[in-house]
């Protein structure tokens, strides 16, 4: 597996022309996947979808859903490469579903202008309080310039790490981003106060070659994305809010929008391809909305008081007849091969965020009713399922008085479960015909 990973790394670099950052991240992820499969005594040639799903669930536990989508994209591309090179006949990762981030995204935490000013004052105070320890002076001035630059320009942490001294046009007050996301180059205006902080920091350095990195570490090496994040984490205790480097990008866009900035200009400023991406950065509470609601005409209307309800005794003879809902009697938890397969399906669906909690609950009810109504399959698993078993189960549901709408929903849940079973290749010969019929 090591040789395959190295060949794919060369393919990404030379043939596809990916950036070194993307190539390194993919190489790291495939190394972890190889270690995971090696513990299971599996290689890239015989890995199945169920193994990749379990890997994604374990790998992204307590991580963001966007991070999971990145891993799924890396796995899809890698196994497509294996199919092209005839290492495999099919791509098992193509059935990995991306998570719809719009269903789980929340509004970013936006710090106020006063809170940002307090952070800048704290960084300046640290510089003034360390006059007796000159060895820390360059680092603290660098941190102040870096924080102010990220907030004022809205650039990404990786873009700040790739900056060079020649990228600052002092007279034009412009910052050139040469290696932005997607290899896009753009120009970002910089105010005079930020340029002064950069000059104060550069005055502490001896190497001012044009191609030298703008921000250096203590060992005179170029900073990277991870080191910038670690630098910000050191200040979490003294700041009221946890400010990460990318949060300053959100805050920059939000403050520009609050101050009356044009959304199209903000899009070009941040280097976004689509306007909808910029709208997510500026999804903040607009003070004008509250003032508009206060002037709504409905505020001047008065509603009449509710009349008191009179309690009327109705005899039991006049009550409308209602159908008694049938419940599936389950004395104890289900045991059997089918019950294990149902539990695996529900665990995978919950781990991969395919369905909501309410939908998973309905899946559990429908599949449990099916397992109880098909004891032959409950013992031996879904492999022995036949069309006559489904017909008998649906007929029993109709005879029990279940509505056609509920029966259709149960059948839809069963079809989704059967599709999951087919992708894991432990299905019987009749399942494909049942699913397509």
């Amino acid at each position: 597996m090591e040789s395959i990973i190295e060949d794919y790394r060369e393919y990404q670099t030379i043939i596809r022309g990916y950036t070194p950052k993307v190539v390194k991240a993919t190489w790291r992820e495939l190394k972890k996947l190889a270690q995971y499969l090696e513990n299971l005594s599996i290689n890239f040639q015989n890995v199945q979808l169920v193994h990749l799903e379990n890997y994604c669930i374990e790998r992204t536990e307590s991580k963001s859903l966007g991070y999971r989508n990145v891993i799924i994209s890396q796995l899809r591309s890698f196994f497509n490469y294996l199919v092209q090179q005839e290492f495999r006949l099919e791509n098992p990762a193509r059935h990995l579903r991306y998570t719809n981030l719009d269903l789980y995204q929340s509004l970013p935490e936006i710090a106020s202008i006063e809170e940002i000013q307090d952070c800048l004052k704290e960084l300046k105070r640290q510089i003034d309080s360390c006059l007796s320890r000159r060895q820390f002076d360059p680092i603290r001035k660098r941190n102040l310039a870096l924080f102010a630059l990220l907030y004022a320009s809205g650039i990404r942490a990786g873009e700040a790490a790739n900056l060079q001294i020649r990228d600052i046009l002092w007279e034009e007050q412009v910052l050139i981003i040469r290696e932005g996301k997607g290899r896009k180059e753009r120009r970002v205006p910089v105010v005079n106060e930020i340029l002064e902080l950069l000059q104060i920091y550069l005055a502490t350095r001896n190497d001012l070659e044009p191609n030298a990195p703008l921000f250096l570490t203590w060992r005179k090496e170029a900073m990277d994305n991870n080191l910038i994040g670690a630098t910000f984490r050191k200040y979490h205790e003294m700041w009221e809010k946890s400010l990460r480097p990318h949060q300053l990008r959100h805050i920059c866009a939000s403050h520009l929008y609050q101050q009356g900035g044009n959304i199209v200009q903000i899009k070009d400023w941040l280097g976004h391809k689509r306007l909808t991406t910029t709208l997510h950065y500026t999804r903040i509470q607009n003070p004008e909305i509250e003032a508009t609601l206060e002037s709504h005409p409905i505020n001047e209307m008065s509603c009449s008081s509710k009349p008191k309800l009179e309690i009327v005794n109705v005899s039991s003879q006049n009550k409308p007849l209602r159908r008694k809902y049938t419940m599936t009697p389950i004395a104890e938890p289900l045991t059997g091969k089918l019950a294990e397969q149902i539990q695996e399906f529900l665990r995978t669906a919950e781990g991969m965020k395919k369905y909501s909690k309410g939908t998973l609950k309905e899946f559990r009810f429908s599949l449990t009713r099916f397992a109880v109504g098909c004891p032959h399959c409950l013992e031996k698993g879904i492999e022995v399922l036949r069309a006559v078993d489904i017909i008998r189960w649906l007929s029993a549901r109709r005879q029990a008085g279940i509505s056609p709408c509920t029966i259709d929903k149960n059948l839809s849940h069963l079809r989704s479960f059967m599709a999951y079973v087919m992708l894991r290749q432990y299905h019987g010969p009749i399942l494909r015909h049942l699913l397509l019929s």
Side-chain angles (χ1 to χ4, degrees):
M1 289 191 290
E2 298 290 336
S3 61
I4 297 178
I5 295 176
E6 294 300 329
D7 293 342
Y8 182 63
R9 184 177 187 177
E10 184 178 357
Y11 167 80
Q12 281 189 316
T13 305
I14 300 176
I15 305 300
R16 301 296 296 178
Y18 292 153
T19 60
K21 181 179 178 181
V22 174
V23 174
K24 186 176 181 180
T26 307
W27 176 79
R28 251 190 232 144
E29 195 61 42
L30 294 180
K31 284 283 189 180
K32 295 177 182 178
L33 175 63
Q35 183 64 36
Y36 175 82
L37 297 180
E38 186 178 350
N39 296 335
L40 300 176
S41 300
I42 303 174
N43 53 32
F44 291 143
Q45 282 75 16
N46 55 16
V47 64
Q48 301 298 330
L49 175 62
V50 61
H51 304 127
L52 298 181
E53 283 184 336
N54 292 334
Y55 171 76
C56 290
I57 294 174
E58 296 180 13
R59 181 74 177 84
T60 58
E61 187 177 0
S62 70
K63 299 289 183 64
S64 65
L65 298 178
Y67 183 66
R68 173 179 295 171
N69 286 348
V70 171
I71 295 179
I72 292 176
S73 177
Q74 292 172 343
L75 296 181
R76 281 187 170 188
S77 301
F78 174 67
F79 282 98
N80 275 335
Y81 166 78
L82 296 184
V83 173
Q84 293 174 3
Q85 301 297 322
E86 298 182 354
F87 287 106
R88 290 184 60 101
L89 297 178
E90 47 84 25
N91 180 5
R94 66 186 179 91
H95 299 291
L96 292 174
R97 300 298 181 91
Y98 292 108
T99 303
N100 186 5
L101 300 181
D102 293 336
L103 301 178
Y104 300 93
Q105 280 182 342
S106 59
L107 291 177
E109 186 178 6
I110 302 299
S112 62
I113 298 178
E114 291 75 14
E115 291 174 337
I116 296 296
Q117 291 177 350
D118 293 340
C119 295
L120 292 174
K121 292 178 181 179
E122 178 63 25
L123 293 174
K124 293 179 180 178
R125 186 193 64 79
Q126 291 186 3
I127 295 176
D128 298 335
S129 62
C130 294
L131 295 178
S132 59
R133 306 184 69 180
R134 292 294 182 181
Q135 65 271 26
F136 296 111
D137 190 53
I139 300 300
R140 298 194 183 272
K141 290 181 179 179
R142 181 205 65 185
N143 294 343
L144 175 60
L146 177 61
F147 181 91
L149 180 64
L150 291 178
Y151 167 67
S153 61
I155 61 176
R156 302 176 179 89
E159 296 171 347
N162 295 329
L163 285 176
Q164 298 177 354
I165 296 179
R166 64 187 178 95
D167 295 331
I168 304 176
L169 304 182
W170 303 94
E171 296 181 358
E172 301 179 14
Q173 295 186 355
V174 171
L175 190 67
I176 301 178
I177 308 298
R178 303 183 187 276
E179 297 182 6
K181 187 176 181 180
R183 291 189 171 182
K184 292 182 294 185
E185 181 177 329
R186 70 181 191 277
R187 295 193 171 196
V188 178
V190 182
V191 296
N192 191 34
E193 288 77 3
I194 305 301
L195 296 178
E196 292 179 357
L197 293 177
L198 290 174
Q199 289 176 351
I200 294 174
Y201 161 62
L202 293 177
T204 62
R205 292 173 46 177
N206 297 325
D207 55 331
L208 296 179
E209 296 293 331
N211 295 331
L214 180 60
F215 297 107
L216 297 179
T217 64
W218 178 262
R219 297 180 178 179
K220 307 300 180 181
E221 298 175 353
M223 297 186 70
D224 58 2
N225 190 5
N226 296 330
L227 184 56
I228 292 179
T231 302
F232 274 66
R233 283 193 293 271
K234 296 179 181 178
Y235 294 97
H236 284 184
E237 297 180 357
M238 64 184 66
W239 290 341
E240 295 182 0
K241 291 186 177 180
S242 175
L243 296 177
R244 296 185 298 273
H246 204 75
Q247 278 183 307
L248 290 179
R249 182 173 169 86
H250 285 271
I251 295 172
C252 173
S254 301
H255 288 178
L256 286 174
Y257 186 68
Q258 282 180 333
Q259 299 299 323
N262 191 334
I263 190 66
V264 178
Q265 296 176 354
I266 297 177
K267 177 184 79 69
D268 297 335
W269 185 319
L270 299 178
H272 290 158
K273 185 177 180 180
R274 298 179 180 86
L275 187 61
T276 54
T277 307
T278 311
L279 291 176
H280 171 69
Y281 277 65
T282 57
R283 283 193 310 166
I284 55 176
Q285 184 178 1
N286 195 339
E288 297 180 359
I289 297 179
E290 184 177 358
T292 304
L293 291 178
E294 292 180 356
S295 61
H296 198 283
I298 197 172
N299 294 325
E300 301 178 359
M301 299 176 61
S302 58
C303 299
S304 57
S305 58
K306 293 183 179 180
K308 294 184 179 180
L309 298 178
E310 297 181 0
I311 301 176
V312 180
N313 295 326
V314 181
S315 61
S316 59
Q317 297 180 355
N318 297 331
K319 289 184 178 180
L321 296 178
R322 298 183 62 185
R323 179 178 64 84
K324 294 183 179 181
Y325 292 93
T326 58
M327 300 295 294
T328 303
I330 303 177
E332 56 186 11
L334 296 179
T335 58
K337 192 173 182 180
L338 180 59
E340 296 176 358
Q341 294 171 349
I342 292 175
Q343 284 299 118
E344 181 184 352
F345 165 72
L346 295 175
R347 182 190 66 82
T348 303
E350 182 180 5
M352 296 298 292
K353 303 292 182 181
K354 290 185 177 181
Y355 307 102
S356 63
K357 293 184 179 179
T359 304
L360 288 175
K361 186 177 180 180
E362 293 180 355
F363 265 109
R364 186 181 299 275
F365 287 161
S366 297
L367 296 179
T368 302
R369 292 188 179 102
F370 171 74
V372 173
C374 187
H376 176 63
C377 299
L378 178 60
E379 180 181 356
K380 298 183 179 180
I382 199 68
E383 295 90 341
V384 299
L385 179 65
R386 296 295 182 268
V388 64
D389 298 326
I390 300 179
I391 295 175
R392 290 174 181 173
W393 178 63
L394 295 178
S395 177
R397 298 284 288 168
R398 291 190 182 95
Q399 293 178 4
I402 306 301
S403 65
C405 180
T406 303
I407 295 177
D408 290 343
K409 182 172 63 174
N410 297 150
L411 184 59
S412 175
H413 295 164
L414 181 60
R415 289 171 66 91
S416 300
F417 173 64
M418 291 168 59
Y420 168 86
V421 168
M422 287 183 60
L423 294 177
R424 276 135 194 90
Q425 298 183 0
Y426 52 75
H427 52 80
I430 197 64
L431 282 187
R432 186 177 300 275
H433 171 71
L434 293 177
L435 187 63
L436 297 178
S437 62

